[in-house]
Amino acid sequence: MKEFQIGGVNITKSEGDDQKALDASLSLLNLQKKLKGIDRVFIKINLLVAESYELGTVSDPFILEGIIKEIRKYSDKEIVITESESVWCTEILLGGEASAKEEHIAAGLKLALKNSGTQEILDKYNLRFLNATKAPKASRDDVLKLVKQHFPKNVKDIDEDMLEMVPSEFLEGNPLFISYNKMKTHRMRGVGVTLACKNLFGLITNPNCVPFHDGGKGLLNSMLSINLIYNAIFENKVGFVECLRYAIEGDGPDTEKGVTKKNAGLIVAGENFLEVDTVAIRLMDIDSKYTVFVDKLRSCYPPLKVNLEKIPEEFIAKFRQPEHWEGVPPPEWTA
């Protein structure tokens, strides 16, 4: 196992002992300090489709359990696992055809929890799952007020629809928010990868996210809105992305078009989601011209303090880049 710190980001590389690497990465987060005064912990997982974690598309229960155990060392506060519903979780139910029918979407999420191994973790630790789609929502005015307090110059960039999608309990007390996502590629133009920042996209509670991709709103604009909103809401947060055992490369983020990459052996974690993503992009060796979202989201985060050239080559786990892109190219995007 090897470790490297750059800026506020910790990199851990497993060399055959995944448990040791996971434990080391979690210890570097200093959760003992972060959990002081915390009322509740939300862990935003990633259940894109109703597949097994071994395909590299969805959250790995091995990682999720490790995070839970680390939290339990220092706190007995409630841990809530959260994700929203998606029409894409219904594909496996309908022979490859997504459906927007409410009963199909609900069944798809249930199947995704089971197939990913997440339900077993929920049962083992008696944790609550928050379906962000069905959860009671905070008032639009309360969410907008927080955005205005933290990002007064960016209020004009907020998608009005997203102001009404925030679960009300996210605004209660003093929570710790953990964005846990797989380190994988993404074939939508302008994104190129899906990491800590893109994981927030899963809190868009419209099960059909097409309008927020290229259906008129634009993917980069949607990512800007959702990151502004949740950076305003959560003062305490951790970005945790990994390809320790499985991930997706090529035309991801799903295994329908991507390729499962096994044992890439990396965990990247830190408080600044954009720093975490910037480092992960370098570790994946993805050309920065494909990941223009990094520049788009700079207004949501503190200035980046990472010199990517200082990352040792031994930490690089080259990912196959997307080749067949989808979506409308952003003005800055040139392939």
Side-chain angles (χ1 to χ4, degrees):
M1 185 202 69
K2 295 180 179 179
E3 299 173 346
F4 186 77
Q5 184 168 3
I6 180 169
V9 178
N10 300 309
I11 307 170
T12 306
K13 183 175 182 179
S14 170
E15 295 185 308
D17 192 334
D18 292 338
Q19 185 66 63
K20 184 177 180 181
L22 177 58
D23 292 344
S25 178
L26 290 168
S27 67
L28 291 171
L29 290 177
N30 194 14
L31 287 182
Q32 183 174 12
K33 180 179 179 181
K34 289 183 173 64
L35 288 164
K36 289 182 178 179
I38 293 297
D39 302 311
R40 183 179 297 162
V41 180
F42 293 104
I43 304 176
K44 166 61 177 71
I45 57 174
N46 180 218
L47 297 180
L48 174 67
V49 288
E51 293 184 338
S52 165
Y53 67 90
E54 293 179 333
L55 293 175
T57 308
V58 299
S59 300
D60 187 336
F62 171 68
I63 304 293
L64 181 59
E65 184 170 22
I67 296 172
I68 293 165
K69 286 181 176 179
E70 186 71 11
I71 293 169
R72 281 289 173 253
K73 288 181 184 179
Y74 312 112
S75 175
D76 60 358
K77 297 296 185 180
E78 183 182 21
I79 300 172
V80 181
I81 311 301
T82 186
E83 177 62 292
S84 61
E85 295 179 350
S86 169
V87 296
W88 309 116
C89 283
T90 68
E91 288 185 328
I92 196 170
L93 296 173
L94 303 172
E97 180 183 355
S99 169
K101 292 183 178 180
E102 186 172 351
E103 63 269 27
H104 291 160
I105 294 170
L109 178 59
K110 184 177 181 180
L111 189 62
L113 288 166
K114 178 182 177 181
N115 288 359
S116 66
T118 304
Q119 188 61 55
E120 184 176 344
I121 300 298
L122 291 170
D123 295 340
K124 181 177 180 178
Y125 291 91
N126 193 28
L127 302 182
R128 179 164 61 96
F129 176 76
L130 176 67
N131 179 342
T133 301
K134 294 289 191 348
K137 302 301 187 293
S139 76
R140 175 190 178 281
D141 290 343
D142 286 346
V143 176
L144 183 59
K145 181 180 179 181
L146 285 171
V147 175
K148 287 181 177 179
Q149 287 176 356
H150 290 82
F151 303 105
K153 296 181 181 179
N154 299 94
V155 174
K156 65 183 185 306
D157 299 320
I158 296 293
D159 186 310
E160 292 288 326
D161 291 336
M162 291 189 193
L163 292 172
E164 301 178 354
M165 295 184 179
V166 178
S168 57
E169 62 182 283
F170 282 178
L171 273 63
E172 298 172 359
N174 183 34
L176 172 65
F177 178 81
I178 300 176
S179 175
Y180 161 45
N181 198 35
K182 298 300 297 186
M183 193 184 299
K184 56 191 177 184
T185 51
H186 198 298
R187 62 184 176 271
M188 292 296 286
R189 291 182 172 95
V191 180
V193 294
T194 174
L195 303 166
C197 292
K198 182 64 168 63
N199 195 33
L200 296 180
F201 203 87
L203 292 173
I204 293 175
T205 57
N206 183 337
N208 182 6
C209 287
V210 171
F212 299 93
H213 272 78
D214 274 352
K217 296 177 180 292
L219 178 55
L220 293 180
N221 291 332
S222 295
M223 283 187 67
L224 177 60
S225 286
I226 205 72
N227 277 267
L228 285 170
I229 287 172
Y230 281 100
N231 271 302
I233 290 173
F234 293 119
E235 180 179 350
N236 304 295
K237 51 190 175 294
V238 171
F240 196 90
V241 301
E242 55 83 22
C243 55
L244 189 63
R245 305 200 296 180
Y246 309 98
I248 294 292
E249 63 178 352
D251 293 337
D254 55 351
T255 49
E256 176 188 358
K257 297 183 179 181
V259 178
T260 300
K261 185 180 184 73
K262 299 180 180 180
N263 301 317
L266 289 170
I267 304 174
V268 186
E271 296 180 3
N272 184 328
F273 290 4
L274 194 58
E275 271 196 347
V276 168
D277 285 10
T278 302
V279 170
I281 290 166
R282 173 66 190 112
L283 297 178
M284 298 168 75
D285 198 27
I286 302 295
D287 194 322
S288 60
K289 71 181 179 182
Y290 298 133
T291 58
V292 298
F293 79 90
V294 171
D295 289 331
K296 185 76 171 179
L297 300 186
R298 287 185 186 274
S299 61
C300 306
Y301 293 91
L304 301 181
K305 298 179 180 179
V306 291
N307 184 349
L308 300 179
E309 295 180 358
K310 291 187 177 181
I311 298 176
E313 282 294 322
E314 61 192 306
F315 286 89
I316 308 301
K318 187 178 180 65
F319 277 57
R320 186 185 307 178
Q321 301 187 136
E323 296 179 2
H324 304 94
W325 296 94
E326 297 181 5
V328 178
E332 307 92 335
W333 197 85
T334 55

